[in-house]
Each structure stands twice: as structure tokens, then as C-alpha cells.
Amino acid sequence: MNTTVEQYIKGLKEAYFNNNAQEIWEHFEKIKQSLTTADVEKLTKTYPDIPEALIRLLEYVDGTYWREYAGEEVIFYFLGSDLEEYPYYLLSSKEIIENKNIAIKSYSDYIDRKYDEVEVDEKITNKTDSLKWLHFSDCMNNGGTSQLFIDFSPSEKGKIGQVVRFLHDPDEFSVIADSFEEYLKKLIDNKYNFINEDVSE
């Protein structure tokens, strides 16, 4: 497994334990499932540049967002962003593929800079026809407030593979990391501040 992913999962487990959610973590570990070899092939075919770290993360658990494992639906906080104390779910490989065009369908006007009041990071392209984003995470309220993407089509000021965070009301698009591994490292450095005692309620 990728070293950063190993470190991330180990620290996330400790965060759950430190917030009195040991039983929740242990139950999650007991029923979770990995993606299959066929799933990996489908992902890499759809997203040839998918980061190895994301695949390793999905090999640990193939989604935590109303994902059915062993006949039980899992809703499990697994990721965060630059928004302090705000948790996110990891989408499954199937959802990631199904959502291939979600950014174009939902945000093309924003990407094309049609609204001056919507802040869009200059590292993000302004050409919808070249947009290639991988949607890998939704926030705790079903993605209504925030979503996370890996951007394979940045502007000249950005970097291929940068992580974009969409925030609703007020709407904005910000690059929060230059790569998926850097994104995970930031969550580690921030001591998993999206996990608190609320997860055990």
C-alpha cells in the first residue's frame, strides 16, 4: 500500500479512537470491502491519470457514502478538506465512474466565468470543453454544500492532479492541494480535525 495512504488510515483510526468512536471504527473495519481488479481496470480506463494513492485508498474501502457492505448500508466520515471540522465521505469506484461528467453538467457556467460573483481559483481552467475532473468525495450533507475533485485539466497556473474544493453558498472553487497525496498529507497535518465526538452520536 502507498506509504501516505498507510499513514493516513493509521492516523484516521487513531482519531476515531481518540473521539470515543472505537466501536464505530471496528464495526466499519469488520464489514468494509475493497474494490475488485475489474473495478481498478474500469477506473484506469475512465481516468488514465488517476492517482495511485486514490486507488490504494479505494482498495482499503470502496466507498463510505450509503455504500452497502454485508447487507448493511455504511455512512462513514472518511475525508476532510480545508474547511475545519467538516467531514466528507469517500465515493465508491462505481460512483466515481458514474459521476464522470457531473462537473460539466453542474458547473459549466462557473468554469466559463459567467458570474463575476462566483470565485474560481485562477489555477482552474476557464474552458468547459476541456474539463476533466474526477469527483471523489461529497461532504456530510450529501454533497449539497461541498464536493471534492481531482483536476486533470488545470489552467497554465495550475498543476495536473490538483485537488479542487467546491463550496456552495456562497459558491466558490478553490484549489486546496497540488496533488492527491499532498491533500492527504494536509489532512494528516491538520490532525484529522474533521473527526470529533459527534461521529459517535
Side-chain angles (χ1 to χ4, degrees), residues 131-160:
L131 197 68
K132 294 179 182 178
W133 283 9
L134 182 159
H135 178 208
F136 69 91
S137 182
D138 277 340
C139 70
M140 62 186 295
N141 68 341
N142 304 322
T145 299
S146 185
Q147 297 173 319
L148 301 177
F149 301 87
I150 298 174
D151 179 7
F152 302 116
S153 55
S155 71
E156 292 182 357
K157 295 183 178 181
K159 294 185 177 181
I160 295 174

Side-chain angles (χ1 to χ4, degrees), residues 3 21 30 33 48 76 91 111 124 138 165 169 175 179 197:
T3 303
K30 182 178 179 181
Q33 295 175 14
F76 191 84
L91 299 187
I111 299 302
I124 296 172
D138 277 340
R165 185 258 301 139
D169 196 20
V175 173
S179 69
E197 291 193 352

Side-chain angles (χ1 to χ4, degrees), residues 41-53:
E41 291 175 355
K42 290 176 184 176
L43 276 172
T44 53
K45 182 178 180 180
T46 306
Y47 301 100
D49 297 320
I50 185 171
E52 185 252 355

Side-chain angles (χ1 to χ4, degrees), residues 13-180:
K13 178 179 179 178
E14 291 175 357
Y16 267 85
F17 276 47
N18 292 338
N19 284 280
N20 300 315
Q22 179 176 344
E23 288 186 14
I24 292 174
W25 179 273
E26 290 177 342
H27 180 69
F28 163 71
E29 278 207 320
K30 182 178 179 181
I31 67 170
K32 71 175 179 63
Q33 295 175 14
S34 170
L35 78 175
T36 65
T37 302
D39 292 328
V40 175
E41 291 175 355
K42 290 176 184 176
L43 276 172
T44 53
K45 182 178 180 180
T46 306
Y47 301 100
D49 297 320
I50 185 171
E52 185 252 355
L54 177 55
I55 291 178
R56 299 291 85 82
L57 210 59
L58 289 164
E59 285 179 341
Y60 176 74
V61 57
D62 188 19
T64 67
Y65 186 57
W66 294 106
R67 182 73 161 86
E68 184 174 317
Y69 294 119
E72 179 181 341
E73 284 189 329
V74 169
I75 44 173
F76 191 84
Y77 298 144
F78 198 74
L79 296 169
S81 73
D82 59 325
L83 305 177
E84 188 173 349
E85 299 183 355
Y86 202 64
Y88 291 70
Y89 304 105
L90 173 66
L91 299 187
S92 68
S93 56
K94 181 180 179 182
E95 289 169 320
I96 288 172
I97 292 171
E98 289 177 347
N99 291 352
K100 179 181 179 181
N101 297 315
I102 191 172
I104 294 175
K105 291 178 180 178
S106 301
Y107 307 128
S108 58
D109 286 352
Y110 297 158
I111 299 302
D112 290 334
R113 311 302 200 268
K114 291 185 177 180
Y115 306 107
D116 292 337
E117 66 272 19
V118 178
E119 290 189 24
V120 182
D121 197 306
E122 63 181 2
K123 295 179 180 179
I124 296 172
T125 184
N126 59 0
K127 301 174 182 177
T128 303
D129 57 359
S130 65
L131 197 68
K132 294 179 182 178
W133 283 9
L134 182 159
H135 178 208
F136 69 91
S137 182
D138 277 340
C139 70
M140 62 186 295
N141 68 341
N142 304 322
T145 299
S146 185
Q147 297 173 319
L148 301 177
F149 301 87
I150 298 174
D151 179 7
F152 302 116
S153 55
S155 71
E156 292 182 357
K157 295 183 178 181
K159 294 185 177 181
I160 295 174
Q162 64 191 11
V163 175
V164 173
R165 185 258 301 139
F166 165 68
L167 181 65
H168 175 59
D169 196 20
D171 292 353
E172 68 172 34
F173 294 83
S174 297
V175 173
I176 61 173
D178 287 340
S179 69
F180 188 75

Side-chain angles (χ1 to χ4, degrees), residues 184-200:
L184 291 180
K185 289 175 182 176
K186 285 186 174 184
L187 298 182
I188 294 169
D189 291 343
N190 290 332
K191 302 185 185 304
Y192 307 87
N193 60 24
F194 56 94
I195 297 298
N196 51 55
E197 291 193 352
D198 290 344
V199 302
S200 60

